[in-house]
Amino acid sequence: MKIQTPVLKFTLLITSLLWTWGAFASQHFDSADEMTDTRIIQLDNYVFQSSLVDATSFIMDVNPSPKNAPDGVFKPGVLYNIHIANDAKFKTGQTFSLMFNNNGEYTVYRLAAPDAPVGEKGQPIGTGELNKKTALAEGVRVWAGVVKDPFFANSQGVERLQQQLSKGTYDPAIWASAKGKNSFSGRKCAAIVLDVPNKLLGKTVNVFMTTAVPKDSSWEQVQYSALPLLSYFMFDDNKTLKSEHNRSRPGNMQDMSKYVSARVAHTSSVTNSQKDPQAYGDRVASMLVPDVITYYTWTAARFTAGAINGRSLSDDAMSEMLTLLLGEPVDQRVTNKKMYTHYFPYLIPAPFE
């Protein structure tokens, strides 16, 4: 499949001033509109130090509505891909891919390239089944199944933010007045958890995740994700750009920085938080584009508005992304219920509905 570079015209920059976020949903605000099968919707990504001292953990959350059937969690025949580059140009590294069958069993593939054409999956390195830990060659560990959703967000506060920004105003008191109810409390999702020994990784890794589906005699990439909420906060009002983002790769995203910069510049001017909103927008765009999670192996992961070093399960990603968007510190005032543990597979398994 040939991935087209997004064409950003002046009209796209103008629409960055409009705030028309869609209705809130369990897919962490960030699903592809054209996808009706929840099994291929990506939700969240995490990259952090493993419970093993010499390994790194990668988590890919998908499917906001897992069903009580082996084929109701992950879609059979689809490729769920974790791309791990050892360099900033995505030339070296690897891709781990999982493909499930109708019984919930899966094969893990490893490809010695982080950015290969869509559908390439390399060689099989092992098999597994839902909700069971599996040890693969060279110390790689994998787990896949249904979990308690670890994401937390003050959706009522973000709704109020949307309403205010559409009127050109912002009142920081909205977060406290919304009373911090976590709209994801009690929800479930599916997750793929991968532990990779650091000897197989670079000192710095750049990570993104995709899903690809078979189409005719080829493959089609239908979703892309890395940084939390980027697509929702920056592209949700523009279906064309959002679709291009889902079909993109890091090497052809640069034009998206114009859109991100314009949106952030406008928002920071509304909040009156920056002396030079355009310069601030450019700086944020340089942090967020290309859309990858950068992580320094062997270190403690932390995702903040000041710096991105992986993303741990305890990070308040919503507050940090809002801070970048508004240009001033935001505390969404929602309690992290800590739906995770400190040991593989880190997330808390949940029974089928």
Side-chain angles (χ1 to χ4, degrees):
M1 171 187 134
K2 182 178 180 181
I3 301 175
Q4 300 294 329
T5 301
V7 178
L8 294 181
K9 297 183 179 180
F10 181 71
T11 53
L12 290 180
L13 299 180
I14 293 298
T15 58
S16 72
L17 308 183
L18 304 176
W19 293 87
T20 55
W21 291 332
F24 291 100
S26 59
Q27 52 263 41
H28 303 185
F29 319 125
D30 201 18
S31 68
D33 292 337
E34 65 271 22
M35 291 194 296
T36 58
D37 192 328
T38 63
R39 295 173 296 177
I40 58 174
I41 292 177
Q42 294 175 228
L43 306 179
D44 256 310
N45 306 316
Y46 301 88
V47 183
F48 55 91
Q49 170 68 41
S50 165
S51 57
L52 302 175
V53 297
D54 58 350
T56 297
S57 301
F58 304 86
I59 295 179
M60 179 185 193
D61 284 352
V62 301
N63 193 354
S65 303
K67 305 302 181 184
N68 187 16
D71 63 352
V73 182
F74 300 94
K75 186 170 184 177
V78 166
L79 283 174
Y80 297 86
N81 307 301
I82 299 175
H83 306 260
I84 308 168
N86 296 337
D87 65 287
K89 294 185 177 180
F90 305 90
K91 299 297 184 183
T92 62
Q94 58 204 304
T95 300
F96 290 92
S97 303
L98 274 70
M99 181 183 287
F100 294 79
N101 64 20
N102 291 325
N103 298 320
E105 300 163 334
Y106 59 86
T107 299
V108 183
Y109 299 88
R110 181 182 173 195
L111 178 67
D115 194 21
V118 178
E120 288 193 19
K121 56 183 183 289
Q123 298 299 315
I125 60 172
T127 60
E129 55 185 288
L130 290 179
N131 303 314
K132 290 188 178 181
K133 301 176 185 178
T134 300
L136 305 175
E138 298 188 79
V140 177
R141 299 189 295 180
V142 64
W143 183 94
V146 179
V147 299
K148 296 181 180 180
D149 195 334
F151 189 73
F152 55 102
N154 184 343
S155 62
Q156 187 177 6
V158 178
E159 286 175 346
R160 293 180 183 181
L161 173 66
Q162 174 191 0
Q163 294 166 3
Q164 290 186 357
L165 290 177
S166 68
K167 299 175 182 178
T169 64
Y170 172 61
D171 179 4
I174 59 175
W175 307 109
S177 64
K179 298 181 180 179
K181 182 179 179 180
N182 177 19
S183 60
F184 295 89
S185 179
R187 296 192 179 184
K188 302 175 184 178
C189 65
I192 294 169
V193 183
L194 193 70
D195 258 14
V196 181
N198 288 339
K199 65 183 180 181
L200 302 179
L201 306 172
K203 293 182 178 179
T204 303
V205 293
N206 293 287
V207 182
F208 64 96
M209 307 192 188
T210 64
T211 46
V213 301
K215 184 176 182 180
D216 300 326
S217 59
S218 186
W219 287 86
E220 179 182 13
Q221 179 178 306
V222 293
Q223 198 167 16
Y224 177 110
S225 67
L227 298 171
L229 300 163
L230 177 70
S231 179
Y232 179 73
F233 281 150
M234 302 299 173
F235 308 140
D236 201 64
D237 63 333
N238 189 293
K239 291 184 178 180
T240 298
L241 184 56
K242 190 172 183 181
S243 179
E244 291 284 0
H245 175 259
N246 276 322
R247 288 163 174 77
S248 68
R249 290 291 177 88
N252 59 11
M253 284 186 178
Q254 199 54 45
D255 282 347
M256 293 182 185
S257 64
K258 301 175 185 177
Y259 196 93
V260 172
S261 178
R263 166 150 286 185
V264 172
H266 170 69
T267 309
S268 61
S269 67
V270 171
T271 63
N272 198 29
S273 62
Q274 302 292 319
K275 291 183 179 179
D276 188 341
Q278 188 57 62
Y280 174 69
D282 290 345
R283 181 166 66 84
V284 172
S286 70
M287 287 181 62
L288 303 183
V289 181
D291 180 10
V292 297
I293 297 178
T294 299
Y295 174 66
Y296 300 95
T297 53
W298 305 93
T299 69
R302 192 176 180 209
F303 182 92
T304 72
I308 298 170
N309 182 36
R311 180 186 174 190
S312 75
L313 289 162
S314 63
D315 286 333
D316 186 353
M318 174 70 87
S319 290
E320 299 301 328
M321 287 298 286
L322 286 167
T323 295
L324 286 172
L325 183 68
L326 301 177
E328 64 180 53
V330 173
D331 179 354
Q332 63 170 325
R333 302 289 187 92
V334 65
T335 300
N336 179 4
K337 295 296 185 180
K338 298 182 179 180
M339 295 289 100
Y340 57 86
T341 72
H342 298 292
Y343 301 97
F344 185 84
Y346 312 108
L347 301 176
I348 300 173
F352 286 128
E353 296 180 358

